[in-house]
Amino acid sequence: MLKKEVILEGLDCANCAAKIEDEVNKLNGVKAYMNFMNKTLTLEIELEQEYKNILQQVKTIVHKHEPDVVVKEKSVNKSNKIVLILEGLDCANCAAKIEAQTQSLEGVNSATVDFVSKKLTIEAVDKKEFGKILGEVTSIVNKLEPDVKIVDAEKKKVNKSIVMLEGLGCANCAAKMEKEISGLEGVEFAAVDFVSKKLTLEISPKVNRSELNEKIEGIVKKIEPDVKVIFEENTSKANVKENNEEEEEGVNKKKS
């Protein structure tokens, strides 16, 4: 999925904007979201290679309704981006409201909330606006979700880790594991991929890894007793041992 934003310079008709959004959404493999205040049209395109063709179709649609509007691809300045973690966010509907209200703020080009990772990504017109925007976003979040804590992702350093769950055979059990492990102290993020049997973790550097590993294994065994829990560091050691054994076997065969 490719996500792109285009600027519609000179767009001054809200009714035309709604018609443009509706028609672009009818294009094959495209989802479109119009922000009339910021004159931007966000495109989500299933096939990346179709982008140029779709952009041309978008221009045709825009000029049919607003001939004088200039359609420009939006250049992203990474220094104008900030990522906030919304700790404790547990309401998808509230997340959507936070995203919509943040997008409407003056000085904000775009805002998206990833409900799974609890991340709010904001692109500002100017990075000098971050202080004002952050204050307004805090008010929005506190109004909708008073218990949510806002943390700057840049300042929140975490260690990433992968745990293999060999023999995991129950999607419902995987969901239960994810929920319980997410609630452990020191775990900032936890997600179980049932297909690959992987548990992805983001862990606070201050946490005792040995104790945390024991708790994680305890949760897994409680829910699925036959699952084998292999932590990242053990995985690498096992691979080294296996490779050494294969090399030794090869040498012995040559000798014989």
Side-chain angles (χ1 to χ4, degrees), residues 4-20:
K4 285 279 189 178
E5 281 190 346
V6 292
I7 301 170
L8 308 182
E9 284 188 0
L11 183 68
D12 58 6
C13 169
N15 186 42
C16 298
K19 289 178 181 178
I20 290 167

Side-chain angles (χ1 to χ4, degrees), residues 160-201:
K160 290 191 177 181
S161 179
I162 301 292
V163 182
M164 299 303 301
L165 305 175
E166 285 191 2
L168 181 65
C170 167
N172 186 42
C173 299
K176 289 179 181 177
M177 290 173 191
E178 181 178 300
K179 185 176 180 180
E180 287 198 35
I181 292 168
S182 294
L184 291 175
E185 187 177 352
V187 175
E188 307 296 343
F189 173 75
V192 176
D193 185 335
F194 178 65
V195 176
S196 64
K197 318 301 181 192
K198 283 182 181 178
L199 164 63
T200 302
L201 298 167

Side-chain angles (χ1 to χ4, degrees), residues 8 19-20 23-24 27 41 52-71:
L8 308 182
K19 289 178 181 178
I20 290 167
E23 289 189 32
V24 174
L27 295 176
L41 178 66
K52 288 186 178 180
N53 179 40
I54 287 168
L55 181 61
Q56 190 55 50
Q57 292 179 68
V58 169
K59 288 179 179 179
T60 301
I61 291 169
V62 171
H63 291 149
K64 180 177 74 173
H65 296 283
E66 285 265 36
D68 297 327
V69 166
V70 177
V71 181

Side-chain angles (χ1 to χ4, degrees), residues 185-244:
E185 187 177 352
V187 175
E188 307 296 343
F189 173 75
V192 176
D193 185 335
F194 178 65
V195 176
S196 64
K197 318 301 181 192
K198 283 182 181 178
L199 164 63
T200 302
L201 298 167
E202 290 184 3
I203 304 164
S204 168
K206 296 178 181 179
V207 76
N208 185 312
R209 288 300 296 272
S210 179
E211 288 181 6
L212 181 61
N213 287 355
E214 284 182 15
K215 290 176 183 177
I216 290 171
E217 189 163 5
I219 289 170
V220 173
K221 293 291 186 182
K222 179 184 71 176
I223 297 170
E224 278 253 48
D226 296 328
V227 168
K228 186 178 179 183
V229 183
I230 303 174
F231 294 95
E232 197 173 41
E233 58 270 23
N234 295 334
T235 305
S236 57
K237 288 176 184 175
N239 288 340
V240 170
K241 184 179 178 183
E242 187 178 325
N243 290 338
N244 288 342

